[in-house]
Amino acid sequence: MIKKSIIFACLIFVSQFACSQILTPVKWDIRLVDSESAEKEILFTATIDPGWHVYDMNLPKGGPVSTSITYERRQGVELTGEQKASVAPATIYDDIFDMELRWYSEKVVFVQKIKVTDPKSFALGGEVEFMACNDETCLPPDRISFSFDKNDVKQTRMNTLVAETADTLPPGTEDADSTETAPDSTETNAVVARPYTPAGDKTATAVQDVLTAQPELWTPVIEELKAFGEENITSTGSSWWLIFLAGFAGGFIALLTPCVWPMIPMTVSFFLKRNKQRRKAVREAFVYGLSIIVIYLAMGLMITLLFGASALNDLSTNAIFNIVFFLLLVLFAISFFGAFELVLPSSWTSRMDAKADSTSGILSIFFMAFTLALVSFSCTGPIIGTLLVEAALGGSLAGPAIGMAGFALALAIPFAFFAVFPNLLQNMPKSGSWLNSVKVVLGFLELALALKFLSVADLAYGWRILDREVFLVLWIVIFALQGCYLLGKIRFRHDSELRHVSVMRLFLAIISFAFSIYMLPGLWGAPLKAISAFAPPLYTQDFNLYENTVHSVYNDYEEGMAKAKKIGKPVLIDFSGFGCVNCRKMETAVWTDPQVKRLLEEQYILITLMVDNKSKLPAPLVVVEGEKKRTLKSVGDKWSYLQRVKFGANAQPFYVILDNEGKLLAPPYAYDEDVAKYVRFLSDGLKKYQQLMR
């Protein structure tokens, strides 16, 4: 599988140097599989690039565009049953659409059984409509046409000929002739489909006649886009560095837990006592640290290879899995609060200790590292589990492995470091009540994180017991209680009496209380962008005073351009889609910013063009794109065609600033929730327009 990082790098390269290249992440192969009988199969095979997916058939209304197969010409043939997919779709709850979505990744084959009733007049033609998306963008719905005719069912015609001949033969001679003439029953003849072109379609109109009365507005500006350099188009996916740093931070947090911290001086002291030669002791300590990295890295690779990256991705959004993970995190939190101790069976660690004592050399060091992994499981387990789930969200094989490498490195560094400088061990804080305080703070954090997983299940089943305001209330209480604990106002049974508050505890308490206060306005509908990835969507909130949203007045390109020319304002075209999740993210995270809202409403004419709008055009339009004819049937087809031919792009969201003649004023902008960057994008376009108008 191609690494996702390569895909993102290619997208950035395309954005910066070849905007005219259209993304085609789904390749279709349509074949008719012939047979000796009248019953045959048509195979619609979709091969999907890594990181992309196509939606299943018959999704509920209000969601993205379903995959569908329509047959516009049928002669001498009957359809037998419904189309069936070769694999089960992934079922994902999407909080933007408030519904469960089904999709396929990598490869899927839709099988349609047919029965040829008249081989001499057999003709079958139609088209496949589909929509491709990845984690960052969705492409507009596309169509692939197909057709077969009587020349593609040779075996049926041959069988018919044999049957007709047999009727005229003398009795007793049918079997011999049939044996000689009939083809091998095991032979399969797959015929590749040809494009379907409706013959004599009087409803289709030439594009020059109906598409536009102002052809200058449709003039391509692809070369101008290249000249700008495309510096505003970015693909902000899960960076390997971010995943690695997240794993490193998780390892550092685990290092401070009571399960791991006391083992640093114990294991380093063991290595130094084991060897009188300091150089050899240091070398073995480095081997020990490397063994820790190998063990945790192997763990990440093993889990990923066993389940697969896409399976981990699907699992991470599965309702039942999220309920189980919620309960596990709550269990760990209760344990961290001191109600009970979670440890692996002592026989496991005893056996590993015995292995370490009975072996020698590198093998004994490896068993020591494995013992550390077992002993520290009660503290590292929830951190590792959360890390693997989040790293797998990108659907890549490398994500969990890179995250685990960062986690293991953070654990391994102290052991090697203190082995090199053993005198520094004397200055290390000793195990004591402060480690228990770290454990309790982790308990509060795990309790808060557990609610995030419960929220996914709540949305999936539609229980509505954890709406946004309920979620925020619980988080406000949890972090306020954490602040009280840090100040010594709350004590658990394993805590020592806090005689004074250290500077570190004071600052952590301030952060906890400040975070609680920050979330308070969210109870009245404030967006709370800092926790938007954790909190339930805003539509689940019953009481909402927040109305700082932006809505486009115009959804027709030429109508909006005419209005802009009349009042003298530049135009911002928003190529969007009903099925575009990141379009909704931009609208809620960026357009709601006061400065962006002011620019959009006061300085621009905003035109939103939905490329998946299924409303029918007054009459289909036949256009020529490259050397291929296309039929535009819907409003969305028209706007998608505009985006492709004028701007050389087909991904959404996609924002372009134009003057009143349809000429480009600034580099385009894609999905990027950096508000300051978006403000610069709008301000630069406005400044250029004002210069032209002088």
Side-chain angles (χ1 to χ4, degrees):
M1 182 181 289
I2 301 174
K3 290 185 179 180
K4 194 172 182 181
S5 58
I6 298 177
I7 297 173
F8 287 139
C10 291
L11 289 178
I12 294 172
F13 175 82
V14 168
S15 299
Q16 294 179 340
F17 299 105
C19 177
S20 61
Q21 184 172 342
I22 301 297
L23 299 176
T24 55
V26 183
K27 313 296 187 301
W28 285 90
D29 181 83
I30 304 173
R31 297 171 183 260
L32 184 150
V33 181
D34 205 353
S35 65
E36 295 182 5
S37 65
E39 286 76 21
K40 308 180 188 303
E41 291 182 341
I42 301 179
L43 306 182
F44 302 87
T45 303
T47 303
I48 307 160
D49 288 349
W52 291 82
H53 59 262
V54 294
Y55 291 101
D56 193 12
M57 297 182 173
N58 304 314
L59 293 180
K61 291 183 178 180
V65 175
S66 305
T67 299
S68 62
I69 303 173
T70 56
Y71 301 91
E72 300 180 358
R73 185 185 182 192
R74 281 190 289 176
Q75 288 180 228
V77 62
E78 295 177 354
L79 302 182
T80 306
E82 300 291 333
Q83 295 99 353
K84 294 184 178 179
S86 59
V87 295
T91 302
I92 308 295
Y93 181 83
D94 192 285
D95 53 11
I96 299 292
F97 294 110
D98 191 20
M99 66 175 66
E100 283 192 348
L101 300 180
R102 305 184 306 277
W103 67 48
Y104 301 96
S105 57
E106 297 183 357
K107 186 176 182 179
V108 61
V109 181
F110 296 101
V111 182
Q112 173 65 66
K113 294 182 180 295
I114 63 172
K115 181 178 181 181
V116 178
T117 56
D118 184 3
K120 295 180 180 180
S121 65
F122 170 72
L124 185 65
E127 62 183 14
V128 180
E129 184 179 24
F130 66 99
M131 184 174 183
C133 294
N134 64 9
D135 292 340
E136 295 298 329
T137 189
C138 285
L139 303 183
D142 200 0
R143 295 186 179 92
I144 301 295
S145 64
F146 63 92
S147 67
F148 302 99
D149 59 27
K150 60 184 180 181
N151 295 319
D152 299 323
V153 287
K154 296 177 182 178
Q155 292 184 11
T156 299
R157 288 170 53 233
M158 186 179 295
N159 291 340
T160 303
L161 180 61
V162 171
E164 291 173 351
T165 306
D167 292 338
T168 63
L169 292 175
T173 62
E174 301 95 318
D175 293 343
D177 289 341
S178 297
T179 303
E180 292 177 3
T181 308
D184 184 359
S185 61
T186 61
E187 179 180 322
T188 300
N189 183 21
V191 182
V192 180
R194 295 174 295 278
Y196 174 67
T197 53
D201 188 355
K202 298 180 180 179
T203 63
T205 308
V207 63
Q208 292 83 359
D209 299 333
V210 178
L211 182 62
T212 178
Q214 298 176 279
E216 67 276 6
L217 295 181
W218 292 70
T219 303
V221 293
I222 297 173
E223 294 303 319
E224 289 83 346
L225 286 173
K226 292 181 181 179
F228 273 119
E230 309 282 350
E231 59 188 24
N232 275 39
I233 294 184
T234 58
S235 293
T236 55
S238 298
S239 164
W240 297 142
W241 276 112
L242 291 178
I243 294 176
F244 179 83
L245 291 176
F248 191 85
F252 183 74
I253 293 173
L255 185 66
L256 297 177
T257 60
C259 312
V260 180
W261 182 267
M263 294 198 67
I264 297 176
M266 291 172 59
T267 49
V268 172
S269 176
F270 168 79
F271 282 114
L272 292 177
K273 290 179 180 178
R274 179 178 174 178
N275 299 289
K276 296 182 179 180
Q277 296 181 359
R278 183 173 180 274
R279 180 175 298 179
K280 186 177 180 181
V282 171
R283 185 170 62 250
E284 289 193 350
F286 273 111
V287 173
Y288 181 65
L290 183 62
S291 299
I292 294 173
I293 295 175
V294 170
I295 289 170
Y296 281 102
L297 185 59
M299 187 187 304
L301 287 172
M302 181 181 66
I303 292 174
T304 306
L305 292 174
L306 283 177
F307 296 100
S310 58
L312 283 175
N313 188 9
D314 298 341
L315 192 66
S316 66
T317 50
N318 179 273
I320 296 176
F321 168 80
N322 278 278
I323 293 175
V324 172
F325 210 75
F326 160 75
L327 294 174
L328 280 176
L329 286 180
V330 171
L331 185 68
F332 275 110
I334 295 174
S335 172
F336 281 9
F337 290 149
F340 50 83
E341 193 71 26
L342 279 176
V343 293
L344 290 175
S346 58
S347 59
W348 292 13
T349 54
S350 298
R351 198 169 300 168
M352 295 306 300
D353 281 333
K355 284 285 185 183
D357 292 336
S358 61
T359 56
S360 60
I362 295 178
L363 192 59
S364 66
I365 298 174
F366 180 81
F367 279 118
M368 282 289 297
F370 209 96
T371 303
L372 169 68
L374 290 177
V375 170
S376 62
F377 173 78
S378 61
C379 293
T380 60
I383 300 173
I384 292 173
T386 306
L387 173 65
L388 287 175
V389 170
E390 295 301 322
L393 286 176
S396 169
L397 285 169
I402 291 175
M404 289 298 286
F407 179 88
L409 182 63
L411 280 183
I413 286 176
F415 293 96
F417 182 79
F418 285 115
V420 176
F421 305 103
N423 293 333
L424 294 178
L425 284 173
Q426 299 176 358
N427 300 324
M428 268 183 54
K430 304 301 180 183
S431 301
S433 61
W434 71 274
L435 272 181
N436 187 70
S437 298
V438 171
K439 197 173 181 180
V440 172
V441 169
L442 283 177
F444 281 112
L445 294 177
E446 287 187 5
L447 200 58
L449 186 61
L451 293 175
K452 182 253 188 184
F453 292 95
L454 179 61
S455 174
V456 175
D458 178 66
L459 291 168
Y461 286 104
W463 297 330
R464 298 300 297 269
I465 61 174
L466 199 62
D467 288 350
R468 187 171 183 266
E469 60 264 45
V470 177
F471 181 94
L472 291 177
V473 165
L474 291 173
W475 266 38
I476 290 169
V477 171
I478 287 172
F479 284 97
L481 289 175
Q482 179 179 276
C484 292
Y485 172 80
L486 289 167
L487 294 178
K489 303 301 180 183
I490 299 175
R491 284 174 57 192
F492 293 93
R493 66 175 185 173
H494 294 304
D495 286 318
S496 303
E497 182 180 357
L498 186 65
R499 298 182 179 179
H500 64 274
V501 177
S502 66
V503 174
M504 178 63 73
R505 293 179 75 109
L506 176 63
F507 274 99
L508 290 175
I510 291 173
I511 292 173
S512 298
F513 285 123
F515 188 52
S516 292
I517 295 172
Y518 164 78
M519 290 186 286
L520 282 174
L523 299 177
W524 290 270
L528 303 180
K529 298 175 185 177
I531 62 169
S532 59
F534 297 93
L538 196 58
Y539 68 78
T540 65
Q541 186 149 331
D542 297 323
F543 185 64
N544 186 1
L545 299 178
Y546 192 76
E547 298 179 353
N548 192 25
T549 56
V550 177
H551 299 285
S552 175
V553 177
Y554 299 95
N555 55 16
D556 182 272
Y557 174 51
E558 295 187 3
E559 181 185 354
M561 292 295 293
K563 179 65 175 180
K565 188 172 184 178
K566 181 178 180 180
I567 64 176
K569 285 186 177 182
V571 171
L572 175 68
I573 298 183
D574 163 33
F575 285 101
S576 184
F578 297 114
C580 176
V581 173
N582 284 332
C583 300
R584 306 291 87 77
K585 290 181 179 179
M586 289 291 292
E587 292 162 7
T588 56
V590 179
W591 284 12
T592 54
D593 178 81
Q595 192 173 359
V596 174
K597 176 179 170 66
R598 181 185 61 80
L599 285 168
L600 292 177
E601 294 182 341
E602 298 178 8
Q603 304 296 332
Y604 279 92
I605 292 296
L606 176 61
I607 305 173
T608 296
L609 304 178
M610 294 291 188
V611 298
D612 55 359
N613 188 337
K614 305 301 289 183
S615 301
K616 297 297 182 183
L617 292 170
L621 306 173
V622 175
V623 298
V624 177
E625 188 176 346
E627 298 180 356
K628 182 179 179 182
K629 284 188 176 181
R630 286 180 178 265
T631 302
L632 310 181
K633 300 179 180 180
S634 67
V635 173
D637 291 344
K638 183 178 179 180
W639 303 142
S640 179
Y641 175 74
L642 170 67
Q643 186 183 5
R644 292 195 306 271
V645 299
K646 186 174 179 68
F647 305 104
N650 66 341
Q652 292 79 44
F654 188 78
Y655 307 98
V656 286
I657 299 175
L658 304 178
D659 65 9
N660 303 137
E661 305 300 325
K663 296 178 181 178
L664 203 64
L665 293 176
Y669 195 98
Y671 173 65
D672 190 336
E673 295 184 42
D674 188 333
V675 174
K677 193 174 182 180
Y678 199 78
V679 169
R680 287 197 303 272
F681 162 67
L682 295 177
S683 300
D684 291 345
L686 180 61
K687 183 178 180 181
K688 183 68 177 295
Y689 179 80
Q690 292 170 345
Q691 291 174 349
L692 291 175
M693 296 300 292
R694 290 173 185 169

